[in-house]
Amino acid sequence: MSSTDPAPAADHHLLGAADIRELAAAFGVKPTKQRGQNFVIDGNTVRRIVRAGGVTAEDSVVEVGPGLGSLTLALLEVAAHVTAVEIDPLLARHLPTTVASRMPEKAKDFDLVLSDAMEVTELPGPAPTALVANLPYNVAVPVLLHMLQTFPSIERTLVMVQSEVADRLAAKPGNKVYGVPSVKANWYAEVKRAGAIGRNVFWPAPNVDSGLVSLIRRDPPKTSASRAEVFAVVDAAFAQRRKTLRAALAGWAGSPAGAEQALAAAGIDHKLRGEMLTVEQFAAIAEHKPEAQK
């Protein structure tokens, strides 16, 4: 079925291309590039995202950037509860009405939070066990990391992001796109690519391809260093990613010699670059920061 075919009768509550355009016109919604608004217009795609996220009837799901509700409705088909976080007041005002009209039996299992996701520190309803979202491309990584840090109850995450961002998040050490997002995401979870999404399932169609990323929560590395201390090393190492670790970490350690000392104590060759290190190795470096710099 193409993205413009009418949905089968069993899918009457999901939003197709015509539904999305009708709702947008009725609400006076004009998608903006500033907020990365591209609405999914294909029921098969949102159900695929829900399946890829491993959502079950026991899950309480948090969704960031629900827009007109395409993915929200597909999540409500399966999950016990869905909380959507929306920054756009116009979209936020109308989404509960869309849920109530299309899935009245699930309206009681839906909550909406009008907020910038980066400022959310608590959510209504049960603690979220899953994060499933079509994240705005321009803020995808900081939003993802903020949600994982703020809500440790999130066990599984499935996000749709720009394809290049998906590659960076899922990259392994030694890969040319391995960097800060890769390492920091690995602090929280096992990360892998979970598929690709074409441009024709969106309205308006973006000028980039999208990718799905799966993150399964795991314990952070065993280390005496705090998350903030480890992330400071990561940021320093990739701020000058073409330099060796001895040079790149000089500012963090107070001097090149201090960086070499910390690296030696962590058992890491000072001639390596940050792109070769695992999150566990960055944690080991953080543990050996020269005393004068702590």
Side-chain angles (χ1 to χ4, degrees):
M1 185 176 76
S2 77
S3 61
T4 55
D5 289 337
D11 291 350
H12 64 90
H13 54 268
L14 295 184
L15 299 175
D19 300 311
I20 289 289
R21 290 184 173 90
E22 286 173 12
L23 287 175
F27 301 157
V29 172
K30 296 181 179 179
T32 68
K33 285 188 177 181
Q34 180 184 3
R35 286 184 172 163
Q37 291 172 333
N38 301 94
F39 304 124
V40 181
I41 57 176
D42 179 49
N44 288 338
T45 298
V46 290
R47 281 198 171 134
R48 176 188 167 196
I49 292 170
V50 173
R51 287 195 304 271
V55 178
T56 73
E58 285 73 50
D59 277 315
S60 174
V61 182
V62 56
E63 179 190 8
V64 175
L68 289 166
S70 302
L71 180 56
T72 312
L73 295 168
L75 287 166
L76 282 166
E77 282 187 329
V78 180
H81 188 273
V82 175
T83 299
V85 180
E86 176 57 64
I87 192 174
D88 188 315
L90 180 60
L91 292 170
R93 184 163 71 247
H94 291 290
L95 185 55
T97 303
T98 300
V99 170
S101 64
R102 294 218 161 223
M103 299 183 72
E105 74 283 2
K106 295 291 288 186
K108 68 183 186 308
D109 302 320
F110 175 71
D111 282 304
L112 180 94
V113 176
L114 173 59
S115 176
D116 181 338
M118 290 295 294
E119 297 176 0
V120 171
T121 56
E122 57 183 11
L123 294 167
T129 56
L131 165 64
V132 182
N134 171 18
L135 291 177
Y137 292 161
N138 54 341
V139 295
V141 171
V143 165
L144 173 62
L145 296 177
H146 171 75
M147 296 299 287
L148 290 173
Q149 177 190 345
T150 306
F151 301 102
S153 61
I154 294 175
E155 302 165 357
R156 281 162 287 112
T157 295
L158 195 288
V159 292
M160 178 160 57
V161 295
Q162 183 176 341
S163 187
E164 290 182 4
V165 175
D167 289 340
R168 285 200 289 273
L169 283 168
K172 303 303 180 188
N175 188 300
K176 64 181 180 180
V177 297
Y178 181 78
V180 172
S182 326
V183 183
K184 291 184 178 180
N186 266 277
W187 173 268
Y188 299 104
E190 295 284 351
V191 188
K192 67 177 183 178
R193 264 282 212 151
I197 301 289
R199 306 178 189 192
N200 64 327
V201 301
F202 296 94
W203 175 77
N207 57 10
V208 293
D209 293 323
S210 301
L212 300 177
V213 180
S214 167
L215 301 97
I216 306 300
R217 175 82 71 169
R218 66 173 185 182
D219 291 334
K222 289 183 170 60
T223 175
S224 60
S226 68
R227 178 193 58 82
E229 289 169 337
V230 176
F231 282 13
V233 181
V234 175
D235 289 336
F238 287 101
Q240 304 176 78
R241 64 178 298 147
R242 297 182 66 85
K243 293 189 174 183
T244 65
L245 287 167
R246 183 180 189 275
L249 298 181
W252 166 82
S255 67
E260 186 172 342
Q261 175 187 338
L263 288 161
I268 296 166
D269 184 347
H270 67 83
K271 297 176 184 176
L272 291 176
R273 293 183 173 87
E275 64 197 41
M276 303 304 297
L277 270 54
T278 64
V279 65
E280 289 81 8
Q281 288 174 306
F282 279 111
I285 297 169
E287 290 180 4
H288 294 95
K289 187 173 187 177
E291 287 296 327
Q293 299 302 313
K294 288 185 179 179

